[in-house]
Amino acid sequence: MDTTTRRRFLIASGVVGGAALAAGATTLALSDLLDTAGNRPEGAKTLVVITLYGGNDGLNTVIPYADRAYQDARPELAYDGGEVLRLDDATGLNPALKGLHELFGSKKLAVVRGVGYPKPDRSHFRSMDIWQTADPERPGNTGWIGRWLDGAGGDPRLAVSFEKVLPPLLAGERSAGAVIGAADVKLPRAVTAQALAGFAKPSAGEPPLQARAAACFGDLARVREMAQQVKDADTDSGDGDEEKVPATGTGGLAGLQAQLDLVAQCIEAGVSTRMFSVSLGGFDTHADERDLQETLLSYLDRGLTAFYRRITAHPAGKDVVVLVYSEFGRRVRANASDGTDHGTASNVFVLGESIPGGLYGEQPSLTDLDDGDLKFTTDFRDVYASALDRVLQADPAAALNGWKGRLDWW
Amino acid sequence: MAEREKVAHLLRRATFGPTADEVDRAERAGYQATVEQLLAPAGADRGAARTPAPKLGADPYTDLPKKPTREQRQRAQQARKDQVQQLTHWWVDRMVAADHQLAEKLVFFWHGHWATSVQKVKSAGLMLAQQQTFRRDGRGDFGVLVRAMLRDGALIHWLDGQRNTRKAPNENLARELMELFTLGIGAYTEADVKAAARALTGWTVDRVDGTATFQQARHDGGAKTVLGRTGPLDADSLAEVILAQPAAKTFLPARLWFRFASGEPMPGPVRDRLSAAFAGHDVSALVRALLLDEQFTATGGQLVKQPVEWLVGAVRQLGADGTAGDKQRKQLYQGLTRLDQVPFKPPSVGGWPSGTAWLNTFATQTRVQLAQALSAAASPAFLERLSAAPVAGRPEALARLLVVDAWTDRTRAVLADAAKDARKLTVLGLISPEYAVH
């Protein structure tokens, strides 16, 4: 395991302490966030980043179905022209992405192909670190959003994760975003709203950890209140799904839909948060990939489409941009277990009312390969730089170590 | 502090969750005698005998032909997954049932210390073999354990030891050996890592039966300098060089302190006392010194129960293992997935997180749901003891049964509202902030 990842886990497991960020150290109550409603600068936009953990197979997500080389490389896994949701005469989306296909049709979705970085690393941990720190050379322990936060004054409420632990993405040099664990809302009858409120009361003189345990009940009560306002909240990760889905790295176990519901609530409430991080895990499809990936992509599609319809029905929705990425794509050639091994360059989705939808980025060749893998055509820092510039209205160079590139279409 | 509170604290930390009867016995025996009884229990472990380790047989992959069909491979994969689940459920059963609780808790400590995940190792047999090493060598000479671990198939596979050859060294195992298992960060240089990797070359894992074997041809027999010592070091002499370091005397005591005593840094005087106790590398002597240290008694409330501790402790205290059928028990254990602590699947070689990492909204929510299932599985005897108290006295009766020293007024008020219904009261006790920490 590489130093960064190791360091991160060391921090989490308490092997090193000091000023380092401990996982969960910046847990906030949702009420802390909602208290910021109305403090939002006029015209401030919101970035929602969706991380797909495990390495989503990009070639079976945005599918070059007309390319013989694609069909030849993965006969059991390939989709043909009749199965894909067409984007043009050569490219289509995975059949599970019906909602996103519609959004592409209405020019709200940009599909960027061939996104990657030089000298790709095929370790989940290290590659995810590279993507989250935006440093392909020496991923340190600060994320690109964390560094933006440092420059934006460091208020943890500006960058919020609904995952279980703080992703490195949100860790800055001097500050860090906040974690607010998402939770679904079915509580047993024994646990009434009064009981939650009762447990949430601080008790003078109790140990700090016990006080923290009590405070979690306040968060939970608040999350429940909000979620009850969401009609038909449909979580997409019920019990037992974990058994089906390989869990490499982390990724929200609370359903993506549940996380996105909370994001939508916050956006509608006009909180000061500028960046939300949510995730879906399980994309490490080394074997029997087709069904598994379709299941996961349908979670993504359902969750993201419902979220988008909901926020765009609200005035705040026009200023929201969603970015979807994974730590790498997968090997062009299928492996012997009807799956694929770790690869390199892949696609990034950018979705929003302000986005000029379309198909961007050069499709990497499927025959001119780098050790069996795609050669990237768009540097991921160009994507980040445009997001920082266009959505967070910040100077990208500060958060991206002087990086000058941009996406020319955004 | 009252004697009962002292022994209750001791048992909460040194076991997977004591029952009220166990605390009664410890109170009668006294603190010191209880520590000795934990370290060297009198009598056979009948609970362990009732929960024998599964006989896994050969790894399902050993029977695969050279060119398996897709169906054959899928069947073997599924059989492996089934074995992993069988092993995981067995271990949780064993944690619940073991009479020699401290021994079992130390096995769990070592699992988190040499944190190896079946996610990568894939083979339940290898994981069980590693655990048997913890059982055999985990309470004596630490040097023996280190040398055994450098030959452990699961660990070698996990840290790519089989890729570490004379021609192409792989530093993964060498680095973690020093950084995470024996010395701690900063007690060695990058040059030490490179040289230690060369010392460890030659060990490989048999792809069929998973045993680790030494292949001389892959070993780099040349001279290496590690931590200032030069020679044709191999795995055993490397272990010796490492354990002779001053950092080795304080590292393991600090890790035990971190898991058994407090998330706060170990005070200097404690470090001195524990490293003196560990001078001969005897793990039991170190554990004894820790449990008898006056500062240990003062660490109440400074640890968050890890999910495994919380769940297993609740099953033990509620007698739920006797009541719940196989299916119900399996459902309870599935809860560990949602709580993010599944035995044999640590998140990384760094082991599981601690402290506030376990305290967030999602975890709280999950504990609420599991508490409901636990309460439904509570034994009739538990519910009778709780209901035997007059309604007004039930919160205190519950505190005794869950081995909580005292409820805060806040929690007592919540419990009082539900005291008429023993099952409901139990749910609330299990999710209370007092029960989340120890």
Side-chain angles (χ1 to χ4, degrees):
Chain A
M1 190 183 281
D2 65 273
T3 325
T4 314
T5 307
R6 194 172 43 248
R7 185 182 157 70
R8 201 166 83 225
F9 285 121
L10 292 185
I11 290 164
S13 56
V15 178
V16 293
L21 271 168
T26 46
T27 315
L28 282 184
L30 195 61
S31 51
D32 294 332
L33 210 58
L34 292 164
D35 288 345
T36 67
N39 301 353
R40 202 179 168 78
E42 194 60 39
K45 296 184 169 68
T46 307
L47 180 67
V48 180
V49 174
I50 302 182
T51 303
L52 306 179
Y53 283 98
N56 175 40
D57 185 356
L59 281 176
N60 271 12
T61 305
V62 179
I63 302 167
Y65 66 87
D67 190 335
R68 274 306 317 203
Y70 163 75
Q71 303 289 344
D72 292 347
R74 28 172 86 188
E76 299 282 335
L77 278 187
Y79 290 90
D80 60 43
E83 294 173 298
V84 304
L85 307 167
R86 293 189 183 212
L87 301 181
D88 67 13
D89 293 344
T91 319
L93 287 179
N94 184 293
L97 297 175
K98 293 179 188 62
L100 288 177
H101 185 240
E102 278 177 36
L103 290 167
F104 181 88
S106 53
K107 292 269 190 285
K108 306 294 183 212
L109 173 69
V111 175
V112 195
R113 292 166 302 183
V115 186
Y117 56 89
K119 287 194 282 199
D121 195 292
R122 292 168 181 79
S123 146
H124 291 289
F125 299 110
R126 186 167 171 92
S127 196
M128 194 47 95
D129 277 338
I130 287 170
W131 274 85
Q132 297 207 2
T133 61
D135 189 345
E137 291 296 320
R138 274 182 306 281
N141 53 3
T142 59
W144 64 282
I145 293 291
R147 295 191 297 270
W148 162 77
L149 189 63
D150 283 339
D155 181 343
R157 294 171 302 183
L158 291 177
V160 166
S161 162
F162 285 108
E163 294 146 293
K164 287 192 185 179
V165 292
L166 188 79
L169 175 67
L170 270 63
E173 200 67 66
R174 297 181 299 283
S175 55
V179 175
I180 298 167
D184 59 13
V185 289
K186 288 193 264 318
L187 286 184
R189 271 211 304 271
V191 184
T192 58
Q194 286 107 308
L196 289 186
F199 279 143
K201 289 192 184 112
S203 177
E206 68 183 325
L209 290 172
Q210 193 172 300
R212 178 65 228 151
C216 285
F217 282 95
D219 295 5
L220 186 58
R222 189 76 215 201
V223 168
R224 265 185 91 228
E225 259 167 55
M226 286 183 73
Q228 273 171 342
Q229 301 158 7
V230 182
K231 286 196 171 58
D232 314 321
D234 141 52
T235 59
D236 52 21
S237 163
D239 287 337
D241 269 358
E242 290 92 35
E243 286 303 311
K244 272 204 313 251
V245 170
T248 303
T250 48
L253 273 183
L256 179 70
Q257 177 83 68
Q259 297 175 66
L260 286 170
D261 276 339
L262 287 163
V263 175
Q265 289 276 10
C266 291
I267 290 172
E268 288 166 1
V271 301
S272 65
T273 309
R274 300 290 310 277
M275 185 275 171
F276 292 95
S277 168
V278 299
S279 66
L280 178 64
F283 284 89
D284 196 22
T285 48
H286 283 281
D288 308 318
E289 179 181 306
R290 254 181 87 140
D291 288 355
L292 177 59
Q293 195 201 17
E294 280 188 23
T295 302
L296 291 165
L297 288 178
S298 73
Y299 290 164
L300 173 68
D301 188 73
R302 284 209 314 264
L304 186 48
T305 310
F307 168 77
Y308 193 74
R309 301 230 180 287
R310 176 175 168 181
I311 55 156
T312 47
H314 189 279
K318 70 177 186 329
D319 291 328
V320 178
V321 172
V322 185
L323 195 68
V324 187
Y325 77 101
S326 188
E327 72 258 39
F328 42 61
R330 306 187 78 86
R331 198 68 41 84
V332 175
R333 182 158 299 284
N335 64 20
S337 12
D338 297 321
T340 46
D341 294 318
H342 301 182
T344 52
S346 189
N347 324 287
V348 166
F349 291 154
V350 189
L351 173 67
E353 289 294 289
S354 63
I355 296 298
L359 201 50
Y360 299 103
E362 190 193 331
Q363 171 64 43
S365 160
L366 301 190
T367 49
D368 173 22
L369 298 173
D370 163 19
D371 195 15
D373 282 316
L374 303 179
K375 294 177 175 168
F376 78 102
T377 55
T378 297
D379 194 296
F380 72 110
R381 286 163 290 189
D382 290 358
V383 181
Y384 291 171
S386 292
L388 285 160
D389 175 22
R390 312 284 293 174
V391 187
L392 296 175
Q393 291 136 324
D395 171 19
L400 296 176
N401 199 8
W403 187 258
K404 295 276 185 284
R406 293 278 198 292
L407 296 172
D408 53 13
W409 53 266
W410 186 9
Chain B
M1 196 191 263
E3 185 69 10
R4 186 176 182 88
E5 285 180 16
K6 277 176 70 175
V7 296
H9 171 67
L10 168 67
L11 292 179
R12 278 191 296 262
R13 299 299 184 74
T15 75
F16 281 103
T19 63
D21 294 347
E22 286 167 346
V23 180
D24 289 345
R25 280 199 294 276
E27 191 180 11
R28 285 195 297 272
Y31 193 95
Q32 184 105 20
T34 303
V35 170
E36 295 307 328
Q37 171 69 15
L38 284 164
L39 283 161
D45 190 332
R46 288 199 304 261
R50 274 202 317 277
T51 49
K55 294 205 172 13
L56 297 169
D59 185 279
Y61 270 54
T62 51
D63 303 336
L64 278 182
K66 270 219 162 30
K67 290 213 171 124
T69 64
R70 182 179 161 177
E71 279 72 31
Q72 286 172 319
R73 213 185 24 257
Q74 280 177 334
R75 265 204 305 279
Q77 270 170 355
Q78 192 53 50
R80 267 186 159 179
K81 279 192 187 142
D82 293 346
Q83 283 196 351
V84 170
Q85 191 173 49
Q86 183 191 5
L87 184 70
T88 308
H89 285 180
W90 160 73
W91 194 16
V92 184
D93 278 341
R94 166 64 64 87
M95 292 173 188
V96 172
D99 297 324
H100 298 176
Q101 278 281 305
L102 176 58
E104 200 61 41
K105 194 120 191 218
L106 282 166
V107 173
F108 186 63
F109 167 81
W110 286 127
H111 172 45
H113 184 84
W114 304 87
T116 304
S117 172
V118 75
Q119 293 275 52
K120 175 168 172 180
V121 175
K122 297 277 197 291
S123 155
L126 280 186
M127 298 303 292
L128 180 57
Q130 182 185 80
Q131 190 186 91
Q132 280 155 344
T133 301
F134 297 149
R135 292 181 186 282
R136 190 188 60 229
D137 299 328
R139 284 176 291 146
D141 180 346
F142 186 50
V144 172
L145 178 62
V146 172
R147 290 194 294 274
M149 290 309 288
L150 291 176
R151 293 165 167 70
D152 177 70
L155 185 74
I156 289 173
H157 186 90
W158 171 235
L159 296 177
D160 307 316
Q162 75 281 12
R163 299 193 177 165
N164 182 23
T165 66
R166 191 161 49 85
K167 293 201 180 80
N170 180 311
E171 297 165 9
N172 206 352
L173 178 56
R175 177 185 302 277
E176 306 309 5
L177 172 67
M178 292 192 279
E179 184 171 324
L180 294 176
F181 306 151
T182 57
L183 299 177
I185 202 152
Y188 53 88
T189 65
E190 286 300 308
D192 291 327
V193 172
K194 286 192 169 58
R198 290 173 52 214
L200 293 175
T201 49
W203 284 95
T204 126
V205 183
D206 183 292
R207 288 193 52 146
V208 177
D209 66 5
T211 49
T213 50
F214 181 71
Q215 297 184 4
Q216 188 67 46
R218 293 166 63 125
H219 177 65
D220 178 342
K224 307 121 189 140
T225 303
V226 180
L227 299 160
R229 286 265 303 273
T230 304
L233 299 171
D234 62 6
D236 289 354
S237 45
L238 173 68
E240 201 180 321
V241 168
I242 289 174
L243 291 180
Q245 290 289 304
K249 294 212 179 7
T250 54
F251 181 74
L252 191 65
R255 297 309 296 153
L256 274 158
W257 181 262
F258 177 73
R259 286 298 181 189
F260 283 86
S262 173
E264 304 295 320
M266 188 164 52
V270 178
R271 193 189 54 222
D272 296 342
R273 290 194 289 270
L274 296 191
S275 56
F278 191 51
H281 297 146
D282 179 9
V283 175
S284 284
L286 169 60
V287 174
R288 174 182 288 105
L290 187 152
L291 297 177
L292 291 173
D293 199 284
E294 61 194 25
Q295 288 291 313
F296 170 74
T297 302
T299 57
Q302 291 180 20
L303 290 177
V304 177
K305 287 178 186 173
Q306 297 176 66
V308 165
E309 294 173 321
W310 183 88
L311 182 82
V312 171
V315 170
R316 286 172 50 77
Q317 289 162 346
L318 272 56
D321 52 326
T323 318
D326 274 356
K327 189 164 169 243
Q328 211 177 354
R329 249 194 7 259
K330 278 202 174 103
Q331 276 172 340
L332 278 177
Y333 298 172
Q334 300 282 358
L336 290 172
T337 307
R338 288 170 60 82
L339 288 172
D340 245 8
Q341 190 176 41
V342 180
F344 300 112
K345 286 188 190 169
S348 78
V349 66
W352 277 287
S354 67
T356 51
W358 301 122
L359 298 177
N360 58 49
T361 319
F362 186 73
T364 306
Q365 166 86 20
T366 307
R367 281 197 290 269
V368 169
Q369 289 164 328
L370 281 171
Q372 175 77 4
L374 282 161
S375 169
S379 69
F382 173 90
L383 293 167
E384 277 160 28
R385 283 173 80 169
L386 188 52
S387 308
V391 172
R394 282 183 193 167
E396 300 322 312
L398 181 67
R400 194 177 174 86
L401 290 168
L402 297 183
V403 191
V404 168
D405 291 344
W407 304 118
T408 57
D409 292 347
R410 161 204 61 216
T411 297
R412 196 176 300 106
V414 175
L415 297 178
D417 282 346
K420 280 199 181 63
D421 179 336
R423 279 195 200 274
K424 209 166 149 179
L425 181 63
T426 303
V427 172
L428 294 169
L430 292 173
I431 64 173
S432 67
E434 286 84 339
Y435 194 73
V437 302
H438 63 175

